[in-house]
């Protein structure tokens, strides 16, 4: 009986310590990557990495990202204060332009999910911070493949050589 009580107390203490912290007045240093070459990849990939510093020194901040109405979990990096979120989409759907990645803490994320469930206006929910990702689109390759171009040049050289031979023999 005593062992069960101690185990329950330790489990409660462990869960209480795993709670995420809040981050007032965040300072971020963002960096991002987007797919530039559609020839060698099947989808466009977006990776946003941030270095987060909180005014209160919080290091265990749970973050969630929202991109065009889709939510993604944000993973914590091995280094303190480093976070990353990534997603992918088909090249045709990944239009070029600026993508606004809104980051939410646990409190604002739960408010966002509640508003979505109740079909309420989600624009009233304020993000913790936002990162703008500039995607220039993915290059799909040349309009004419190199094989077709080489064949066309080969046929042109053959025609010129054949016509030169005909004019020399005539």
């Amino acid at each position: 009986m005593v062992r069960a009580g101690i185990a329950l107390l330790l489990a409660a203490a462990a869960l209480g310590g795993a709670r995420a912290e809040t981050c007032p007045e965040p300072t971020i240093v963002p960096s991002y990557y987007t797919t530039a070459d559609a020839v060698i990849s099947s989808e466009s990939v977006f990776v946003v990495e941030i270095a987060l510093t909180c005014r209160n020194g919080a290091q265990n901040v749970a973050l969630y990202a929202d991109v065009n109405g889709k939510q993604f979990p944000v993973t914590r990096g091995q280094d303190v204060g480093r976070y990353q979120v990534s997603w992918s989409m088909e090249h045709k759907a990944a239009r070029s332009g600026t993508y606004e990645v809104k980051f939410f803490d646990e409190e604002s994320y739960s408010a966002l999910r509640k508003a979505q469930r109740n079909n309420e206006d989600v624009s009233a929910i304020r993000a913790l911070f936002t990162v703008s990702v500039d995607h220039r689109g993915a290059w799909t390759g040349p309009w004419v493949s190199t094989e077709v171009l080489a064949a066309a040049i080969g046929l042109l050289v053959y025609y010129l050589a054949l016509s030169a031979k005909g004019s020399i023999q005539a």
Side-chain angles (χ1 to χ4, degrees):
M1 181 76 167
V2 174
R3 284 187 179 168
I6 291 174
L8 184 62
L9 187 62
L10 288 174
L15 288 176
R19 205 174 118 232
E21 302 173 81
T22 60
C23 182
E25 298 179 28
T27 304
I28 62 164
V29 178
S31 63
Y32 61 86
Y33 165 81
T34 64
T35 302
D37 191 354
V39 176
I40 60 172
S41 61
S42 60
E43 290 187 324
S44 290
V45 176
F46 299 80
V47 179
V48 179
E49 186 173 285
I50 58 166
L52 175 67
T53 307
C54 300
R55 184 188 62 171
N56 63 353
Q59 296 178 355
N60 190 23
V61 181
L63 295 175
Y64 302 90
D66 177 88
V67 182
N68 296 333
K70 288 183 74 176
Q71 287 79 38
F72 302 97
V74 178
T75 58
R76 233 184 327 251
Q78 290 181 345
D79 297 336
V80 174
R82 303 290 292 187
Y83 296 85
Q84 184 182 61
V85 64
S86 60
W87 69 97
S88 65
M89 59 179 66
E90 292 183 20
H91 293 302
K92 289 182 181 180
R95 59 173 176 37
S96 61
T98 302
Y99 289 80
E100 296 295 322
V101 184
K102 299 175 185 174
F103 288 85
F104 296 91
D105 59 5
E106 278 187 316
E107 185 179 320
S108 58
Y109 179 69
S110 64
L112 175 71
R113 296 296 292 162
K114 182 179 179 184
Q116 287 176 333
R117 279 192 308 271
N118 297 333
N119 292 324
E120 297 173 355
D121 183 24
V122 294
S123 63
I125 299 165
R126 191 168 166 261
L128 189 62
F129 54 88
T130 303
V131 174
S132 297
V133 175
D134 182 35
H135 178 59
R136 297 176 187 242
W139 182 67
T140 55
W143 289 354
V144 179
S145 67
T146 54
E147 296 87 5
V148 172
L149 187 62
I153 291 172
L155 287 173
L156 179 67
V157 169
Y158 176 76
Y159 172 75
L160 292 173
L162 191 62
S163 60
K165 178 184 173 189
S167 66
I168 291 174
Q169 289 180 345

